[in-house]
Amino acid sequence: MSFLSAIFGTKSPQNDCITVLSPNDFQSQVEGKNVQLIDVRTPNEFKSGHIKGAKNIDFFSGRFNVEFNKLKKDKPVYVYCRSGSRSRQTANKLANMDFKEIYDLKGGILNY
């Protein structure tokens, strides 16, 4: 599939709106700024420590879509989890929900 994409130059909408950021870049873009910063870990993981200003929306929650639909789709959204797996899946879901600018923390909070 990526071979065909390379030949024909087609990208999925997800590739256009998702950017994976290094911990340093992620930190410089969220610290002290008023951004949509979302921690997609469980509430217990969130309580054990999170990035200041983050909102907790549990990836496994039945209210996942409801909570994300409360956010502004035309504003950047920054997502992270423990190691990067749930935030990557979240970024793909958000792209399918028509979010325009999604930033995913590479390696999750373990690398932050």
Side-chain angles (χ1 to χ4, degrees):
M1 188 65 147
S2 60
F3 174 75
L4 294 175
S5 295
I7 292 175
F8 298 110
T10 58
K11 288 185 174 181
S12 72
Q14 296 166 348
N15 291 339
D16 291 339
C17 59
I18 298 171
T19 303
V20 178
L21 295 175
S22 71
N24 287 338
D25 289 340
F26 194 92
Q27 182 177 18
S28 70
Q29 290 190 32
V30 302
E31 261 191 20
K33 297 185 174 80
N34 185 20
V35 297
Q36 298 184 116
L37 176 60
I38 310 299
D39 182 326
V40 296
R41 298 176 299 155
T42 66
N44 284 339
E45 288 174 301
F46 185 79
K47 287 176 191 170
S48 72
H50 57 272
I51 299 172
K52 186 177 179 180
K55 177 180 180 176
N56 185 218
I57 300 176
D58 184 356
F59 179 79
F60 299 112
S61 168
R63 296 192 46 81
F64 180 90
N65 287 353
V66 171
E67 292 302 316
F68 270 104
N69 276 322
K70 293 178 183 178
L71 300 178
K72 296 178 181 172
K73 293 182 179 187
D74 60 337
K75 302 279 186 196
V77 61
Y78 294 82
V79 295
Y80 71 93
C81 63
R82 187 182 65 81
S83 64
S85 178
R86 285 175 280 180
S87 62
R88 181 180 60 250
Q89 292 174 68
T90 297
N92 289 327
K93 282 186 176 187
L94 296 180
N96 289 328
M97 292 169 68
D98 294 325
F99 280 82
K100 305 299 180 210
E101 205 173 335
I102 305 155
Y103 296 96
D104 180 11
L105 173 59
K106 184 177 184 177
I109 199 167
L110 290 177
N111 287 335
Y112 192 73

